[in-house]
Amino acid sequence: GQTVIHSDIPYIYWMLIGLIPWFYMSSSIVSGAGSICQNLGLIAKTHFPIEILPTIAVVKGLNSFFFYARFISYIFYQSRFFSYI
């Protein structure tokens, strides 16, 4: 069966904490795969390390990840989230 864990922390906080990494990982995977597909001509015609393309996409995604992490941290601070802990 399933175990239910009761907590004083509201569900919205748990959801936001999970959504930020999810959006980052999802967009990194999609843009990394898309960068390989878009640059097949470059990869096929030159001796080019293919690992660079997805890595660039992942690093570019960190900018939005840290922005949203700071934004959510500010919301948590303003709503006194840390008083629940």
Side-chain angles (χ1 to χ4, degrees):
Q2 291 182 335
T3 303
V4 176
I5 299 174
H6 297 284
S7 175
D8 292 336
I9 300 173
Y11 175 76
I12 189 73
Y13 294 133
W14 291 109
M15 185 182 72
L16 289 174
I17 290 171
L19 277 178
I20 292 172
W22 169 258
F23 284 144
Y24 167 67
M25 289 184 283
S26 174
S27 68
S28 294
I29 290 171
V30 168
S31 62
S35 67
I36 292 174
C37 292
Q38 291 172 352
N39 293 307
L40 281 177
L42 175 68
I43 296 167
K45 293 180 182 177
T46 61
H47 182 65
F48 186 78
I50 196 169
E51 300 87 21
I52 291 176
L53 297 173
T55 304
I56 292 171
V58 169
V59 170
K60 283 171 56 175
L62 283 174
N63 190 21
S64 64
F65 172 75
F66 286 126
F67 171 76
Y68 287 119
R70 281 192 309 262
F71 180 70
I72 295 300
S73 297
Y74 178 75
I75 289 173
F76 286 175
Y77 177 75
Q78 290 298 320
S79 66
R80 308 290 190 252
F81 168 74
F82 298 110
S83 64
Y84 289 108
I85 298 176

